Amino acid sequence: MLAMERIGYLFGGFAALMAVIYGFWNDWSEPIGVVGLTMGALMGFMMAGYLAITRRKLDGVPPEDDPLGQIDDIAGEYGFFSPHSWWPFWLALACAIIFLGLAIGWWLVAVGVFFVIPATVGWVFEYWKGPRAL
């Protein structure tokens, strides 16, 4: 985690430096490059800051930072993944219709949105066993 944090700070610093150089190079007349590089710098600093805060909250040295660490030190629960769910397929198909609609016509985007909503609701509430279960 420490290496990733350092890479984030390095990327943020590089992008910030390049934003300043790019601005001077163009006499600050072309703002899009400066804005893009500034956003990249902010992204790098945000990533590094998040990793720094997370690393400080952990007890001891994280397994990925321990040079004598073993592979099984990092093993653990990754979460629950639905083995036989059809909802991701229908959601991906609906998103493909939306993106195809951006090229063909806006009416196809509306058709895709019509299918995205029930696919998203179905996937979110797939294992919900409340009083109004789907």
Side-chain angles (χ1 to χ4, degrees):
M1 191 175 303
L2 184 62
M4 293 184 289
E5 178 185 336
R6 288 179 181 166
I7 289 172
Y9 284 129
L10 184 67
F11 176 76
F14 176 76
L17 178 68
M18 288 298 113
V20 172
I21 291 173
Y22 186 82
F24 280 120
W25 189 282
N26 290 318
D27 295 325
W28 303 98
S29 62
E30 197 274 314
I32 303 301
V34 176
V35 170
L37 287 167
T38 303
M39 294 300 285
L42 291 174
M43 181 197 64
F45 289 135
M46 182 182 69
M47 178 185 69
Y50 170 76
L51 290 172
I53 290 169
T54 305
R55 184 175 50 84
R56 288 187 195 119
K57 287 182 181 179
L58 296 175
D59 296 335
V61 177
E64 59 266 15
D65 289 341
D66 186 10
L68 300 175
Q70 300 294 321
I71 295 293
D72 59 350
D73 291 342
I74 212 165
E77 182 70 29
Y78 286 110
F80 174 74
F81 299 99
S82 182
H84 302 291
S85 178
W86 280 89
W87 291 112
F89 172 74
W90 296 116
L91 187 61
L93 188 65
C95 289
I97 291 172
I98 289 175
F99 288 120
L100 187 65
L102 294 176
I104 293 177
W106 289 101
W107 62 272
L108 200 54
V109 173
V111 171
V113 168
F114 179 74
F115 288 117
V116 160
I117 293 170
T120 304
V121 170
W123 197 10
V124 168
F125 293 109
E126 184 173 14
Y127 289 101
W128 188 54
K129 303 295 184 204
R132 297 186 189 111
L134 298 176

